[in-house]
Amino acid sequence: MNESISDDKSWMHTPEALAKHYIAYNAKFLGNTEVEAPKGTEVVKDAVRKLKFQRHIKKSEGQKTPKVELQISIYGVKILDPKSKDVQHNCQLHRISFCADDKTDKRIFTFICKDSESNKHLCYVFDSEKCAEEITLTIGQAFDLAYKKFLESGGKDVETRKQIGGLQKRIQELETENAELKKQLHELEEQLMIAHVPPAGSISIRPQSMDMFDMVPFSPATPLVPTKTSNGCPPPPPTTLPPDIRKDLFGAEPFDPFTCGAADFPPDIQSQLDEMQEGFKMGLTLEGTIFSLDPLDSRC
């Protein structure tokens, strides 16, 4: 079977079961191995053959094939210890590019997932109790629902959010540049003040200290003394801003693109959305094939 995920397909589970909960399956985990491509029947055949051979070696040494629980939802495929419920692997759906099951004995199934840390393609191989095709279809349905949810919630705003991310980066660069210019200006003022220091014993009368532009330096610590107006009444008190309002180098409130809209975006939303968009765009291929091509016992 070579399935293309579409709206017309009749899925096995209700959307609510995968969106609000998860579907659980028990299986034996033969392991995972790195593969060269994200898709392809021959790619997974080689991976299955390799892992089955390794499993037979371990079985001859007295090691049993570990049992795992698979929890499939729109958030990914979790591989857990069936007793402790510890998560061994968490494969996000947009990183899964290929699923295949053995159409002969309905036991072996596999999927290829791109690792989140190494970015390598890993092939996961399982031995189930006659439900390999059902698990493969469940992963396909979860992928279909996750893609629709992505489009409804954020996929349409990818370009807008990328532009916001670019603006924020540019603002940070400008603020860094302005801070450096302010530092240089302060150093020049200090040098000019040292250069104009009068020699010892001389008297220098200056009405008021000036900066390098012959302007009176502003000192926020200098108190403002109110003067009476022409009608004899004191002037209204000066308006002051609350001290908790942050200001940039120009005295204006700094622009924060992550609080300007209705939604709160995490700082790395651009890279995450790009990655999800790329994964969903690649799509998920569901395929039925024959893995029992070697004399090894398929019941590991």
Side-chain angles (χ1 to χ4, degrees):
M1 119 186 121
N2 194 335
E3 303 289 351
S4 59
I5 299 177
S6 66
D7 295 335
D8 299 328
K9 185 167 185 59
S10 242
W11 293 113
M12 303 179 61
H13 309 284
T14 62
E16 292 76 15
L18 290 165
K20 298 181 179 180
H21 306 283
Y22 59 83
I23 306 297
Y25 294 96
N26 292 318
K28 293 180 180 180
F29 185 32
L30 275 65
N32 60 31
T33 184
E34 183 181 354
V35 293
E36 296 296 329
K39 296 177 183 285
T41 303
E42 294 303 320
V43 174
V44 294
K45 279 184 179 180
D46 291 340
V48 170
R49 185 180 295 109
K50 175 181 178 181
L51 290 173
K52 287 174 70 175
F53 180 75
Q54 293 178 357
R55 182 52 52 189
H56 273 273
I57 294 178
K58 293 181 179 179
K59 186 178 180 180
S60 65
E61 297 173 350
Q63 299 183 26
K64 294 183 178 180
T65 305
K67 296 180 179 179
V68 295
E69 177 182 324
L70 297 173
Q71 294 182 356
I72 304 172
S73 70
I74 63 172
Y75 300 103
V77 179
K78 288 184 179 180
I79 305 172
L80 306 90
D81 182 280
K83 294 182 179 179
S84 65
K85 302 299 180 182
D86 292 336
V87 179
Q88 300 175 358
H89 302 276
N90 188 7
C91 304
Q92 296 174 307
L93 287 176
H94 67 274
R95 290 180 170 272
I96 299 177
S97 54
F98 191 84
C99 271
D101 59 85
D102 193 333
K103 65 181 181 181
T104 55
D105 62 5
K106 305 298 182 182
R107 294 183 63 91
I108 300 295
F109 72 95
T110 178
F111 63 81
I112 298 176
C113 180
K114 189 177 182 180
D115 185 68
S116 58
E117 296 182 358
S118 65
N119 280 331
K120 295 179 180 179
H121 296 287
L122 302 179
C123 183
Y124 294 77
V125 180
F126 303 87
D127 182 358
S128 68
E129 291 293 336
K130 302 294 182 181
C131 56
E133 183 178 5
E134 179 180 338
I135 297 175
T136 301
L137 290 175
T138 301
I139 294 176
Q141 182 181 4
F143 185 95
D144 185 51
L145 292 172
Y147 180 52
K148 292 177 180 177
K149 182 178 177 65
F150 172 74
L151 292 178
E152 292 172 358
S153 61
K156 297 178 181 179
D157 301 327
V158 170
E159 292 302 323
T160 301
R161 297 186 190 186
K162 286 174 64 177
Q163 292 176 5
I164 291 176
L167 287 174
Q168 187 198 36
K169 182 179 179 181
R170 180 56 181 158
I171 290 170
Q172 292 175 348
E173 292 174 350
L174 289 174
E175 289 185 347
T176 302
E177 182 180 348
N178 288 332
E180 182 64 26
L181 290 174
K182 185 178 180 181
K183 180 181 177 181
Q184 294 178 7
L185 179 61
H186 180 69
E187 292 175 352
L188 287 173
E189 288 180 348
E190 290 182 344
Q191 293 176 5
L192 288 175
M193 290 177 64
I194 294 174
H196 287 81
V197 172
S202 63
I203 300 176
S204 176
I205 301 177
R206 294 183 64 182
Q208 198 167 7
S209 61
M210 300 291 180
D211 63 10
M212 61 179 296
F213 302 108
D214 293 332
M215 298 179 65
V216 179
F218 171 71
S219 175
T222 304
L224 299 177
V225 180
T227 56
K228 292 186 178 182
T229 57
S230 58
N231 59 3
C233 298
T239 57
T240 58
L241 293 175
D244 58 341
I245 297 181
R246 298 183 297 112
K247 302 293 183 181
D248 62 10
L249 297 175
F250 304 104
E253 298 182 26
F255 171 68
D256 187 354
F258 293 113
T259 58
C260 64
D264 292 328
F265 308 139
D268 58 347
I269 188 66
Q270 178 177 342
S271 60
Q272 290 181 0
L273 286 173
D274 287 344
E275 177 193 328
M276 293 183 70
Q277 188 180 41
E278 180 182 355
F280 283 127
K281 185 178 180 181
M282 179 182 292
L284 172 64
T285 302
L286 305 182
E287 194 168 290
T289 185
I290 300 176
F291 295 130
S292 304
L293 300 180
D294 49 55
L296 297 178
D297 179 15
S298 62
R299 298 175 181 267
C300 300

